[in-house]
């Protein structure tokens, strides 16, 4: 388990004191994929560097599996860092070394004999899907392959925690999804705790169990990913959720439909978990005398279950529409009447 208690990091710029991390308290469970999301300057990169001792806090403590990272130094800190590994946005590979040599590098530093190094590299190359590319140099690899090398290298010393610093930000969407799938597979196979920082809600939605939202150095919202998607509380969290639940096209469609059907109501429904599989719309159409037009729909899958949004246009009398909306709420579907602009 990772525990952060009253963690604060300040930087003295000479003219002023900048608080990058402001009294953060978090607990991250063993085997969890935990996301930290925030825009540039939120403090998330500083926070992740505090986790492995690359930065020392101004106050507070970092405890990783019973060991206080903030209280050790020298050889003990270097040993502890072997159990808290890290992958980076820009891969940080050694360009004069092959794939095999890059993966071997931390084992060399740790003094592992050559035969054991080669055996370990073979396992890791298979794990990350790079069999046959052992003798290639980074310049001969795609972005996704480079990140796979980075992941394999980070696993060389059998870490207990893997930190991912914007690990997919430099990749195209398809490659990003492949790398995220690999991280989920590694998490399940090895039981590895993964802490991932990002500014992309798609990444959080796809692989994280829980998420902390950072703004101005503080954790402003924390919870299960599915719960955060269903009912974000802070404005910044709502903006992040909107990254993957709303599009410009839907906004234009809503405006167009309001012009076409000025007497109807546009209603946004949110389905969570088992609700996404229930025939709720069928019941609505059969039992209520309203005209139902589907404007837009989407179902996304998180590690905790499915999350779906649906925008309907309901036409009928005010009472008929009110009865239909009441039915939806009674079915425990989160229902929002979209106000006319």
């Amino acid at each position: 388990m990772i525990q952060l208690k009253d963690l604060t990091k300040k930087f003295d710029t000479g003219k002023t004191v900048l608080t990058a991390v402001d009294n953060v308290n978090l607990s991250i469970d063993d085997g969890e994929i935990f996301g930290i999301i925030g825009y540039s300057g939120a403090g998330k990169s500083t926070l992740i560097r505090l986790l492995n001792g690359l930065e020392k806090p101004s106050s507070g403590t970092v405890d990783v599996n019973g060991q206080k990272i903030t209280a050790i130094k020298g050889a003990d800190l270097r040993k502890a860092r072997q159990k808290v590994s890290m992958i980076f946005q820009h891969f940080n590979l050694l360009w004069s070394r092959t794939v095999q040599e890059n993966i071997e590098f931390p084992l060399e530093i740790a003094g592992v004999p050559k035969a054991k190094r080669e055996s370990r590299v073979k396992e890791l190359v298979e794990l990350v899907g790079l069999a046959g590319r052992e003798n290639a140099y980074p310049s001969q690899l795609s972005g996704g392959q480079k990140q796979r090398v980075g992941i394999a290298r980070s696993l060389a010393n059998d870490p207990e925690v893997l930190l991912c610093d914007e690990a997919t930000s430099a990749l195209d969407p398809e490659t990003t999804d492949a790398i995220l799938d690999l991280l989920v597979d590694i998490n399940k196979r090895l039981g590895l705790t993964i802490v991932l920082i990002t500014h992309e809600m798609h990444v959080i939605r796809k692989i994280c169990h829980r998420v902390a939202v950072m703004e101005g150095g503080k954790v402003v919202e924390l919870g299960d990913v599915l719960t955060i998607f269903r009912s974000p509380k802070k404005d910044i969290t709502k903006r992040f959720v909107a990254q993957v639940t709303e599009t410009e096209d839907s906004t234009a469609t809503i405006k167009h439909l309001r012009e076409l059907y000025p007497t109807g109501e546009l209603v946004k429904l949110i389905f969570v978990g088992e609700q996404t599989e229930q025939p709720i719309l069928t019941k609505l159409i059969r039992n209520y005398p309203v005209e139902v037009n589907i404007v837009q729909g989407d179902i996304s899958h998180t590690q905790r279950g499915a999350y779906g949004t649906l925008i309907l246009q309901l036409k009928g009398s005010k009472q008929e529409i009110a009865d239909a909306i009441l039915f939806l709420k009674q079915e425990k579907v989160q229902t929002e009447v979209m106000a006319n602009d």
Side-chain angles (χ1 to χ4, degrees), residues 7-11 20-21 46-47 49-62 68-74 76-78 80-81:
L7 195 63
T8 296
K9 177 64 179 179
K10 297 181 178 182
F11 293 98
V21 175
T46 301
L47 182 63
R49 288 169 64 84
L50 289 165
L51 290 180
N52 62 0
L54 289 175
E55 294 282 359
K56 289 291 184 182
S58 303
S59 60
T61 59
V62 176
K68 279 191 167 50
I69 299 296
T70 46
I72 57 176
K73 55 183 69 174
D76 289 337
L77 180 57
R78 288 192 292 273
R81 281 178 180 158

Side-chain angles (χ1 to χ4, degrees), residues 30-33 85 87 120 123-130 144 147-156 158-164 178-195 207 209 303:
D30 290 340
E32 185 174 23
I33 304 179
S85 199
I87 58 174
R120 180 63 174 152
E123 292 175 6
L124 292 170
V125 163
E126 291 286 346
L127 178 65
V128 301
L130 285 176
Q147 194 56 284
R148 288 173 187 270
V149 177
I151 292 170
R153 181 184 59 187
S154 73
L155 299 176
D158 292 314
E160 297 169 349
V161 178
L162 178 62
L163 308 178
C164 304
I179 293 298
L180 295 177
D181 287 340
L182 175 60
L183 290 174
V184 171
D185 183 57
I186 289 169
N187 169 258
K188 290 178 178 177
R189 287 197 197 189
L190 306 182
L192 191 65
T193 303
I194 298 177
V195 182
I207 75 168
H209 301 118
Q303 291 296 306

Side-chain angles (χ1 to χ4, degrees), residues 249-267 291-296 311-315 338 340:
D249 287 344
S250 68
T251 302
T253 301
I254 291 166
K255 182 179 179 182
H256 179 61
L257 280 172
R258 282 178 176 150
E259 293 171 353
L260 288 177
Y261 304 103
T263 58
E265 289 282 12
L266 290 176
V267 180
E291 182 180 330
V292 180
N293 295 317
I294 297 176
V295 176
Q296 183 192 33
I311 297 175
L312 303 178
Q313 198 234 9
L314 303 180
K315 290 186 66 179
M338 307 185 75
N340 292 312

Side-chain angles (χ1 to χ4, degrees), residues 24-25 42 49 54 61 67 69 219 256 283 286 302 320 323 338:
V24 168
N25 290 276
R49 288 169 64 84
L54 289 175
T61 59
Q67 187 168 37
I69 299 296
V219 172
H256 179 61
K283 293 179 183 178
R286 284 179 177 172
T302 75
E320 289 168 344
D323 290 343
M338 307 185 75

